[in-house]
Amino acid sequence: AWRNIFRHGKRTTVVFMSLFFGLTTFLSVFTVVESLDIENYVSRTMVSDIEMRNSYMIGDDGEFEPVYNLSSKLINEVKAVPGVTAVMPQYESKYKAEFSDEFSSYYNWAKDSISKADLAKRFEGEMISLESEDFECLFSIQTSEINSNIDLPKSNTVYLSQSLEGTYELPSHFDITHPISGKEYKVNFGGYLPISLRSSGINHWAPTLIVPEKFMNTFNGKVQPVIGSVYVSVEKGKDKEVHQQIQQISEKYGDFQIETKEALRDNLQLSKIAISLIGGGFSVLLALIGIVNFINIMFTGIINRKQELSVLESIGMTRKQVNKMVAIEGAYYAMISLGLVWTLGNGIAYGLFTLFNSVSKYAVYQFPVTPMVLVSLVVVIICVTVPLLTYKKMTKQSITERLQENMY
């Protein structure tokens, strides 16, 4: 049986390659799909269960501007909602900075959208901060990810969100200026914080800085910073109830953008299903092409060996022995193909996952055990069954009739 597989090198190679590429595509697609970790994405994207943000309006210059309707009074009402465990306001303030070549890393990231001259003229941004105890609360959740260099008590240190790590960095030291008082402050860049805080400003060209509460108060002096976002944590299982009550409360204060982890999970789950259907359908189609190619080659191969198998029967080989031989040949095809897929193919799939994760940064590698076990069983059954069915069809004629076919 083993020698029969490699009797026709080109035909055997075509069978192995078609099965290998079809099944490797199937493995690669399902590896990426199975590795789409929704919870990981949600935790990296949202700080709390419910997030409230100011809405926007079109200003006199035709650009969108935030409408700061979030207030301490609103926050106190949200705190009183049954099921709410914590409410964290995010304070925001604008700043100015002098653009220089020290910001080259940032400019390389932004240069496709703005020229260096325009960037220098419009180099204004926002700084955001939470209350000190809220920072500590968030850090207690993600202590394993915190950079050891982070030292929040250092009031003149600024940070970037960890999602920007590898995208650009800031100078180790630079100056920023308050847009109203004109007072200048020297700050240090302290690295990246493992929390996803976003500012309300959308027309600023300088990076958004995350700063300690102490520095925010020092920087603004008597000017009260605005509340840009409110992060609400709720008891498990009460997301919908709390969300509905917050919506009712917010109607009294104006328009807001309200996002929930639950809604984000639902949307991501629908997207994952869509990707599974499209990508899975395409990969299954390629796998089927490989299987159909195997069926065709095995069918024609056994038909071409009709005379040879008939001679073996005529000299004493039983049909049971012939069935066993062709079944083993099919099993060898399955084992070799699947062996290549589970080893070399898995390496290719992992490489594609690594490439995907370098862009998404929220996927967690997970081998698609169930889909691969199922498709492997299907391949083994087909590879063993096709030769048997082909031989059974061929043996409807007697040995004498089969031997006489090629005699004339």
Side-chain angles (χ1 to χ4, degrees):
W2 180 262
R3 288 193 297 270
N4 286 333
I5 292 177
F6 296 98
R7 180 189 296 180
H8 304 287
K10 290 184 178 179
R11 186 182 71 182
T12 302
T13 301
V14 170
V15 172
F16 285 144
M17 294 304 288
S18 59
L19 283 173
F20 173 75
F21 283 118
L23 294 175
T24 297
T25 302
F26 177 89
L27 172 60
S28 299
V29 170
F30 275 88
T31 296
V32 172
V33 171
E34 291 285 329
S35 299
L36 295 174
D37 193 316
I38 291 176
E39 282 303 318
N40 191 24
Y41 178 83
V42 170
S43 63
R44 284 175 175 266
T45 304
M46 295 185 66
V47 172
S48 61
D49 300 303
I50 300 174
E51 297 184 2
M52 302 177 67
R53 305 186 192 282
N54 291 299
S55 60
Y56 294 87
M57 64 175 291
I58 300 177
D60 296 334
D61 56 0
E63 295 186 345
F64 284 96
E65 296 177 354
V67 180
Y68 294 102
N69 288 325
L70 290 171
S71 64
S72 299
K73 188 177 179 182
L74 169 62
I75 291 173
N76 290 331
E77 286 201 47
V78 172
K79 285 181 179 179
V81 173
V84 171
T85 58
V87 179
M88 299 181 290
Q90 173 182 297
Y91 299 100
E92 301 181 357
S93 178
K94 296 179 181 179
Y95 76 90
K96 292 182 178 181
E98 186 175 344
F99 179 79
S100 66
D101 290 338
E102 291 182 332
F103 290 94
S104 58
S105 174
Y106 178 77
Y107 172 68
N108 288 334
W109 170 78
K111 63 183 180 181
D112 291 337
S113 303
I114 190 171
S115 67
K116 183 177 286 190
D118 286 339
L119 182 61
K121 293 177 183 177
R122 304 174 64 183
F123 205 57
E124 299 180 8
E126 284 195 344
M127 59 172 60
I128 56 180
S129 180
L130 302 176
E131 295 175 356
S132 297
E133 57 269 26
D134 294 334
F135 267 127
E136 292 173 5
C137 177
L138 291 176
F139 286 169
S140 67
I141 299 172
Q142 306 184 57
T143 49
S144 60
E145 299 183 35
I146 296 179
N147 189 318
S148 59
N149 294 326
I150 292 174
D151 186 8
L152 279 175
K154 296 175 70 174
S155 62
N156 65 333
T157 304
V158 300
Y159 304 90
L160 294 175
S161 173
Q162 195 173 53
S163 61
L164 296 171
E165 189 169 9
T167 304
Y168 61 80
E169 58 184 26
L170 301 179
S172 56
H173 309 282
F174 58 98
D175 297 332
I176 60 174
T177 305
H178 195 282
I180 297 176
S181 68
K183 193 171 181 179
E184 191 175 271
Y185 297 83
K186 292 185 179 296
V187 295
N188 306 312
F189 176 48
Y192 304 85
L193 296 183
I195 48 180
S196 300
L197 302 179
R198 293 176 290 170
S199 71
S200 300
I202 57 175
N203 299 317
H204 300 125
W205 284 99
T208 297
L209 306 177
I210 303 175
V211 302
E213 180 186 18
K214 183 179 178 181
F215 180 71
M216 176 68 82
N217 294 334
T218 301
F219 182 77
N220 284 286
K222 295 181 179 180
V223 180
Q224 183 69 26
V226 298
I227 300 174
S229 301
V230 175
Y231 303 103
V232 184
S233 298
V234 303
E235 293 178 15
K236 190 173 182 180
K238 293 190 175 181
D239 302 64
K240 287 185 178 179
E241 299 173 24
V242 173
H243 181 212
Q244 289 175 354
Q245 291 188 60
I246 288 177
Q247 281 185 316
Q248 292 174 0
I249 292 171
S250 64
E251 288 175 359
K252 299 185 295 183
Y253 294 90
D255 293 329
F256 301 97
Q257 297 177 357
I258 302 178
E259 302 173 8
T260 67
K261 281 187 176 181
E262 187 178 32
L264 182 58
R265 284 192 196 98
D266 292 341
N267 291 334
L268 289 173
Q269 191 61 47
L270 290 174
S271 299
K272 188 173 181 178
I273 292 172
I275 294 172
S276 300
L277 292 175
I278 297 172
F282 176 71
S283 61
V284 167
L285 179 62
L286 289 179
L288 284 175
I289 291 173
I291 292 171
V292 169
N293 191 36
F294 164 79
I295 293 173
N296 180 54
I297 290 177
M298 284 300 296
F299 182 82
T300 55
I302 289 179
I303 294 298
N304 291 336
R305 292 166 55 198
K306 183 177 181 179
Q307 190 75 10
E308 173 191 329
L309 296 175
S310 300
V311 170
L312 290 175
E313 282 189 62
S314 69
I315 60 176
M317 195 172 189
T318 65
R319 288 192 179 184
K320 185 176 181 180
Q321 290 174 318
V322 177
N323 278 329
K324 183 178 179 181
M325 182 181 70
V326 296
I328 291 174
E329 288 180 22
Y332 277 145
Y333 275 111
M335 287 189 294
I336 294 172
S337 299
L338 291 173
L340 289 171
V341 172
W342 282 75
T343 53
L344 181 59
N346 190 36
I348 294 172
Y350 184 78
L352 291 174
F353 160 78
T354 303
L355 184 64
F356 171 77
N357 197 38
S358 66
V359 178
S360 66
K361 296 183 180 179
Y362 65 86
V364 177
Y365 178 74
Q366 188 172 341
F367 184 82
V369 177
T370 302
M372 279 305 297
V373 169
L374 291 175
V375 79
S376 296
L377 287 174
V378 170
V379 169
V380 170
I381 291 171
I382 291 175
C383 287
V384 172
T385 305
V386 168
L388 290 174
L389 293 176
T390 305
Y391 178 68
K392 182 179 180 181
K393 181 180 180 180
M394 184 182 72
T395 54
K396 287 182 178 180
Q397 295 175 302
S398 65
I399 297 177
T400 305
E401 291 173 329
R402 281 179 274 148
L403 289 172
Q404 289 176 343
E405 275 189 7
N406 295 325
M407 292 181 61
Y408 304 103

